[in-house]
Amino acid sequence: MESLKTKLFIISGPSGVGKGTLLNSFLEQHRDNVRLSISFTTRKPREGEIDGVNYFFTNEENFKIAIKNNEFLEWAKYSDNYYGTKEAYVYKKLSEGYNLILEIDTQGAFQVKKKIKNASLIFIMPPSIDELEKRLRGRNTETEDAIKRRMDFVKGEIENSKNFDYVIINDNINKALNELTSIFNKNIEE
Ligand code: ADP
Ligand code: 5GP
């Protein structure tokens, strides 16, 4: 994979920090040469989520078979559900000429970096923990219990960000988008 001209970008950050919002705008501006990787998950679809668009939704049994068969470039258990990126999928997109963004958790990010050294790890940081919780609640997609479980992960995720190549603070969305764009431009030129 290292010999390909196209690059992998890993975006991680706590639930509710604004990764989806940021990536929607970024992808809109880079339709010609960037794609967002679609992960496999055992999580149930949220209202409006479509199989094969937001995720490939699967069950635990099939997910575990794919782990056994070594099909994942990376996978992780996050908040009671399994999430993973299929290696063949990533390779296909990169060889079709697309730079690929993986929006995955920090455990998965490190697994990818171990295998693909020129992947860029980008962490999206909230301006504060209070603001993060406000955004997560404001999105209205999680139950109280799910919010609590997601907030339990935040400290560990922020700790892991120390080993990332870049950290972007998502205070102002346009500023964050500009930073992401310059990181992208710098890395595809290398
Ligand atoms: P994630 O994908 O990281 O879980 P989302 O993109 O769903 O997060 O964003 C969570 C909520 O925060 C959304 O309601 C979104 O509109 C809001 N949001 C995102 N970025 C900002 C920002 N810079 N300032 C204020 N609110 C934001
Ligand atoms: P959500 O349930 O909110 O869609 O995602 C929960 C967490 O799982 C987020 O931190 C998201 O980045 C992460 N995630 C999504 N897909 C993958 C994946 O394929 N692998 C890993 N390791 N994490 C993922």
Side-chain angles (χ1 to χ4, degrees), residues 13-22 103 131 135-136 138-139 170-173:
S15 192
V17 70
K19 301 180 297 294
T21 311
L22 192 61
E103 199 242 274
E131 171 64 17
R135 286 183 194 173
L136 193 53
R139 196 173 64 185
N170 181 19
D171 192 351
N172 175 289
I173 192 79

PDB file of all heavy atoms in Angstrom, residues 13-22 103 131 135-136 138-139 170-173, ligand 1:
ATOM      1  N   GLY A  13     -11.583  11.180  17.379  1.00  0.00           N
ATOM      2  CA  GLY A  13     -11.981  12.225  18.324  1.00  0.00           C
ATOM      3  C   GLY A  13     -13.224  11.764  19.042  1.00  0.00           C
ATOM      4  O   GLY A  13     -13.943  10.897  18.530  1.00  0.00           O
ATOM      5  N   PRO A  14     -13.495  12.321  20.216  1.00  0.00           N
ATOM      6  CA  PRO A  14     -14.647  11.865  20.995  1.00  0.00           C
ATOM      7  C   PRO A  14     -15.972  12.036  20.257  1.00  0.00           C
ATOM      8  O   PRO A  14     -16.105  12.930  19.412  1.00  0.00           O
ATOM      9  CB  PRO A  14     -14.619  12.747  22.246  1.00  0.00           C
ATOM     10  CG  PRO A  14     -13.401  13.580  22.167  1.00  0.00           C
ATOM     11  CD  PRO A  14     -12.749  13.394  20.848  1.00  0.00           C
ATOM     12  N   SER A  15     -16.898  11.168  20.605  1.00  0.00           N
ATOM     13  CA  SER A  15     -18.242  11.236  20.047  1.00  0.00           C
ATOM     14  C   SER A  15     -18.830  12.621  20.342  1.00  0.00           C
ATOM     15  O   SER A  15     -18.763  13.087  21.475  1.00  0.00           O
ATOM     16  CB  SER A  15     -19.066  10.140  20.720  1.00  0.00           C
ATOM     17  OG  SER A  15     -20.261   9.959  20.060  1.00  0.00           O
ATOM     18  N   GLY A  16     -19.343  13.296  19.337  1.00  0.00           N
ATOM     19  CA  GLY A  16     -19.985  14.604  19.522  1.00  0.00           C
ATOM     20  C   GLY A  16     -19.055  15.784  19.312  1.00  0.00           C
ATOM     21  O   GLY A  16     -19.488  16.939  19.366  1.00  0.00           O
ATOM     22  N   VAL A  17     -17.765  15.521  19.013  1.00  0.00           N
ATOM     23  CA  VAL A  17     -16.817  16.639  18.861  1.00  0.00           C
ATOM     24  C   VAL A  17     -17.044  17.408  17.552  1.00  0.00           C
ATOM     25  O   VAL A  17     -16.641  18.568  17.433  1.00  0.00           O
ATOM     26  CB  VAL A  17     -15.345  16.139  18.957  1.00  0.00           C
ATOM     27  CG1 VAL A  17     -14.938  15.321  17.759  1.00  0.00           C
ATOM     28  CG2 VAL A  17     -14.392  17.301  19.169  1.00  0.00           C
ATOM     29  N   GLY A  18     -17.669  16.740  16.576  1.00  0.00           N
ATOM     30  CA  GLY A  18     -17.943  17.422  15.304  1.00  0.00           C
ATOM     31  C   GLY A  18     -17.238  16.798  14.110  1.00  0.00           C
ATOM     32  O   GLY A  18     -17.125  17.419  13.055  1.00  0.00           O
ATOM     33  N   LYS A  19     -16.801  15.531  14.237  1.00  0.00           N
ATOM     34  CA  LYS A  19     -16.092  14.868  13.139  1.00  0.00           C
ATOM     35  C   LYS A  19     -16.972  14.777  11.891  1.00  0.00           C
ATOM     36  O   LYS A  19     -16.523  15.075  10.792  1.00  0.00           O
ATOM     37  CB  LYS A  19     -15.661  13.445  13.539  1.00  0.00           C
ATOM     38  CG  LYS A  19     -14.747  13.391  14.751  1.00  0.00           C
ATOM     39  CD  LYS A  19     -14.366  11.957  15.097  1.00  0.00           C
ATOM     40  CE  LYS A  19     -15.516  11.060  15.504  1.00  0.00           C
ATOM     41  NZ  LYS A  19     -16.188  11.410  16.763  1.00  0.00           N
ATOM     42  N   GLY A  20     -18.212  14.352  12.092  1.00  0.00           N
ATOM     43  CA  GLY A  20     -19.128  14.173  10.972  1.00  0.00           C
ATOM     44  C   GLY A  20     -19.399  15.494  10.270  1.00  0.00           C
ATOM     45  O   GLY A  20     -19.358  15.580   9.037  1.00  0.00           O
ATOM     46  N   THR A  21     -19.641  16.526  11.060  1.00  0.00           N
ATOM     47  CA  THR A  21     -19.929  17.865  10.517  1.00  0.00           C
ATOM     48  C   THR A  21     -18.737  18.361   9.702  1.00  0.00           C
ATOM     49  O   THR A  21     -18.897  18.839   8.568  1.00  0.00           O
ATOM     50  CB  THR A  21     -20.199  18.849  11.687  1.00  0.00           C
ATOM     51  OG1 THR A  21     -21.146  18.253  12.572  1.00  0.00           O
ATOM     52  CG2 THR A  21     -20.703  20.177  11.198  1.00  0.00           C
ATOM     53  N   LEU A  22     -17.567  18.219  10.265  1.00  0.00           N
ATOM     54  CA  LEU A  22     -16.337  18.664   9.618  1.00  0.00           C
ATOM     55  C   LEU A  22     -16.100  17.889   8.315  1.00  0.00           C
ATOM     56  O   LEU A  22     -15.796  18.478   7.268  1.00  0.00           O
ATOM     57  CB  LEU A  22     -15.192  18.409  10.609  1.00  0.00           C
ATOM     58  CG  LEU A  22     -13.829  19.005  10.353  1.00  0.00           C
ATOM     59  CD1 LEU A  22     -13.927  20.518  10.313  1.00  0.00           C
ATOM     60  CD2 LEU A  22     -12.872  18.589  11.485  1.00  0.00           C
ATOM     61  N   GLU A 103     -12.775   7.353   9.506  1.00  0.00           N
ATOM     62  CA  GLU A 103     -13.235   8.004  10.739  1.00  0.00           C
ATOM     63  C   GLU A 103     -13.419   6.906  11.763  1.00  0.00           C
ATOM     64  O   GLU A 103     -14.452   6.235  11.809  1.00  0.00           O
ATOM     65  CB  GLU A 103     -14.553   8.745  10.447  1.00  0.00           C
ATOM     66  CG  GLU A 103     -14.872   9.808  11.478  1.00  0.00           C
ATOM     67  CD  GLU A 103     -16.162   9.519  12.196  1.00  0.00           C
ATOM     68  OE1 GLU A 103     -17.224   9.899  11.693  1.00  0.00           O
ATOM     69  OE2 GLU A 103     -16.091   8.894  13.276  1.00  0.00           O
ATOM     70  N   GLU A 131     -18.364  21.558  26.718  1.00  0.00           N
ATOM     71  CA  GLU A 131     -18.881  21.865  25.378  1.00  0.00           C
ATOM     72  C   GLU A 131     -19.138  20.565  24.606  1.00  0.00           C
ATOM     73  O   GLU A 131     -20.128  20.453  23.889  1.00  0.00           O
ATOM     74  CB  GLU A 131     -17.883  22.780  24.642  1.00  0.00           C
ATOM     75  CG  GLU A 131     -18.154  23.012  23.166  1.00  0.00           C
ATOM     76  CD  GLU A 131     -19.449  23.744  22.833  1.00  0.00           C
ATOM     77  OE1 GLU A 131     -20.034  24.389  23.734  1.00  0.00           O
ATOM     78  OE2 GLU A 131     -19.898  23.645  21.660  1.00  0.00           O
ATOM     79  N   ARG A 135     -22.682  19.332  22.989  1.00  0.00           N
ATOM     80  CA  ARG A 135     -22.869  18.985  21.565  1.00  0.00           C
ATOM     81  C   ARG A 135     -23.484  17.598  21.418  1.00  0.00           C
ATOM     82  O   ARG A 135     -24.355  17.382  20.589  1.00  0.00           O
ATOM     83  CB  ARG A 135     -21.523  19.023  20.821  1.00  0.00           C
ATOM     84  CG  ARG A 135     -21.051  20.432  20.592  1.00  0.00           C
ATOM     85  CD  ARG A 135     -19.753  20.441  19.787  1.00  0.00           C
ATOM     86  NE  ARG A 135     -19.140  21.747  19.839  1.00  0.00           N
ATOM     87  CZ  ARG A 135     -17.947  22.035  19.362  1.00  0.00           C
ATOM     88  NH1 ARG A 135     -17.216  21.112  18.790  1.00  0.00           N
ATOM     89  NH2 ARG A 135     -17.463  23.264  19.464  1.00  0.00           N
ATOM     90  N   LEU A 136     -22.996  16.659  22.241  1.00  0.00           N
ATOM     91  CA  LEU A 136     -23.492  15.283  22.169  1.00  0.00           C
ATOM     92  C   LEU A 136     -24.989  15.240  22.521  1.00  0.00           C
ATOM     93  O   LEU A 136     -25.787  14.590  21.850  1.00  0.00           O
ATOM     94  CB  LEU A 136     -22.673  14.403  23.115  1.00  0.00           C
ATOM     95  CG  LEU A 136     -22.807  12.895  22.993  1.00  0.00           C
ATOM     96  CD1 LEU A 136     -22.569  12.423  21.566  1.00  0.00           C
ATOM     97  CD2 LEU A 136     -21.814  12.195  23.920  1.00  0.00           C
ATOM     98  N   GLY A 138     -26.999  17.839  22.380  1.00  0.00           N
ATOM     99  CA  GLY A 138     -27.703  18.677  21.393  1.00  0.00           C
ATOM    100  C   GLY A 138     -28.021  17.911  20.124  1.00  0.00           C
ATOM    101  O   GLY A 138     -28.968  18.232  19.416  1.00  0.00           O
ATOM    102  N   ARG A 139     -27.222  16.880  19.829  1.00  0.00           N
ATOM    103  CA  ARG A 139     -27.438  16.107  18.606  1.00  0.00           C
ATOM    104  C   ARG A 139     -28.674  15.235  18.713  1.00  0.00           C
ATOM    105  O   ARG A 139     -29.256  14.830  17.695  1.00  0.00           O
ATOM    106  CB  ARG A 139     -26.198  15.248  18.323  1.00  0.00           C
ATOM    107  CG  ARG A 139     -26.151  14.713  16.933  1.00  0.00           C
ATOM    108  CD  ARG A 139     -24.845  14.014  16.649  1.00  0.00           C
ATOM    109  NE  ARG A 139     -24.684  12.832  17.484  1.00  0.00           N
ATOM    110  CZ  ARG A 139     -23.583  12.086  17.512  1.00  0.00           C
ATOM    111  NH1 ARG A 139     -22.559  12.404  16.761  1.00  0.00           N
ATOM    112  NH2 ARG A 139     -23.501  11.031  18.293  1.00  0.00           N
ATOM    113  N   ASN A 170     -11.649  21.732  17.520  1.00  0.00           N
ATOM    114  CA  ASN A 170     -12.871  22.173  16.825  1.00  0.00           C
ATOM    115  C   ASN A 170     -13.661  23.134  17.699  1.00  0.00           C
ATOM    116  O   ASN A 170     -14.652  22.768  18.320  1.00  0.00           O
ATOM    117  CB  ASN A 170     -13.735  20.975  16.425  1.00  0.00           C
ATOM    118  CG  ASN A 170     -14.992  21.418  15.672  1.00  0.00           C
ATOM    119  OD1 ASN A 170     -15.049  22.533  15.148  1.00  0.00           O
ATOM    120  ND2 ASN A 170     -15.987  20.560  15.638  1.00  0.00           N
ATOM    121  N   ASP A 171     -13.182  24.374  17.715  1.00  0.00           N
ATOM    122  CA  ASP A 171     -13.904  25.436  18.405  1.00  0.00           C
ATOM    123  C   ASP A 171     -14.783  26.092  17.354  1.00  0.00           C
ATOM    124  O   ASP A 171     -16.003  25.977  17.376  1.00  0.00           O
ATOM    125  CB  ASP A 171     -12.861  26.400  19.000  1.00  0.00           C
ATOM    126  CG  ASP A 171     -13.506  27.359  19.972  1.00  0.00           C
ATOM    127  OD1 ASP A 171     -14.747  27.387  20.035  1.00  0.00           O
ATOM    128  OD2 ASP A 171     -12.768  28.081  20.662  1.00  0.00           O
ATOM    129  N   ASN A 172     -14.117  26.715  16.398  1.00  0.00           N
ATOM    130  CA  ASN A 172     -14.847  27.303  15.272  1.00  0.00           C
ATOM    131  C   ASN A 172     -14.750  26.332  14.089  1.00  0.00           C
ATOM    132  O   ASN A 172     -13.663  25.925  13.693  1.00  0.00           O
ATOM    133  CB  ASN A 172     -14.185  28.650  14.940  1.00  0.00           C
ATOM    134  CG  ASN A 172     -14.798  29.260  13.701  1.00  0.00           C
ATOM    135  OD1 ASN A 172     -14.580  28.766  12.597  1.00  0.00           O
ATOM    136  ND2 ASN A 172     -15.561  30.313  13.892  1.00  0.00           N
ATOM    137  N   ILE A 173     -15.898  25.969  13.532  1.00  0.00           N
ATOM    138  CA  ILE A 173     -15.935  24.928  12.492  1.00  0.00           C
ATOM    139  C   ILE A 173     -15.151  25.335  11.239  1.00  0.00           C
ATOM    140  O   ILE A 173     -14.456  24.505  10.641  1.00  0.00           O
ATOM    141  CB  ILE A 173     -17.395  24.489  12.175  1.00  0.00           C
ATOM    142  CG1 ILE A 173     -17.444  23.225  11.315  1.00  0.00           C
ATOM    143  CG2 ILE A 173     -18.195  25.594  11.546  1.00  0.00           C
ATOM    144  CD1 ILE A 173     -17.215  21.958  12.047  1.00  0.00           C
TER     145      ILE A 173
HETATM  146  P1  ADP B   1     -19.239  13.441  15.800  1.00  0.00           P
HETATM  147  O1  ADP B   1     -19.357  13.028  14.355  1.00  0.00           O
HETATM  148  O2  ADP B   1     -17.826  13.750  16.188  1.00  0.00           O
HETATM  149  O3  ADP B   1     -19.883  12.489  16.765  1.00  0.00           O
HETATM  150  P2  ADP B   1     -21.120  15.573  15.009  1.00  0.00           P
HETATM  151  O4  ADP B   1     -20.515  16.045  13.715  1.00  0.00           O
HETATM  152  O5  ADP B   1     -22.338  14.725  14.932  1.00  0.00           O
HETATM  153  O6  ADP B   1     -20.011  14.851  15.949  1.00  0.00           O
HETATM  154  O7  ADP B   1     -21.406  16.876  15.880  1.00  0.00           O
HETATM  155  C1  ADP B   1     -22.100  16.817  17.122  1.00  0.00           C
HETATM  156  C2  ADP B   1     -22.933  18.085  17.289  1.00  0.00           C
HETATM  157  O8  ADP B   1     -22.061  19.216  17.467  1.00  0.00           O
HETATM  158  C3  ADP B   1     -23.801  18.385  16.077  1.00  0.00           C
HETATM  159  O9  ADP B   1     -25.073  18.793  16.527  1.00  0.00           O
HETATM  160  C4  ADP B   1     -23.051  19.508  15.353  1.00  0.00           C
HETATM  161  O10 ADP B   1     -23.930  20.351  14.657  1.00  0.00           O
HETATM  162  C5  ADP B   1     -22.355  20.245  16.500  1.00  0.00           C
HETATM  163  N1  ADP B   1     -21.075  20.879  16.130  1.00  0.00           N
HETATM  164  C6  ADP B   1     -20.086  20.386  15.345  1.00  0.00           C
HETATM  165  N2  ADP B   1     -19.051  21.271  15.267  1.00  0.00           N
HETATM  166  C7  ADP B   1     -19.378  22.346  16.007  1.00  0.00           C
HETATM  167  C8  ADP B   1     -18.716  23.583  16.338  1.00  0.00           C
HETATM  168  N3  ADP B   1     -17.496  23.892  15.866  1.00  0.00           N
HETATM  169  N4  ADP B   1     -19.358  24.453  17.153  1.00  0.00           N
HETATM  170  C9  ADP B   1     -20.579  24.144  17.664  1.00  0.00           C
HETATM  171  N5  ADP B   1     -21.276  22.993  17.390  1.00  0.00           N
HETATM  172  C10 ADP B   1     -20.680  22.090  16.579  1.00  0.00           C
END
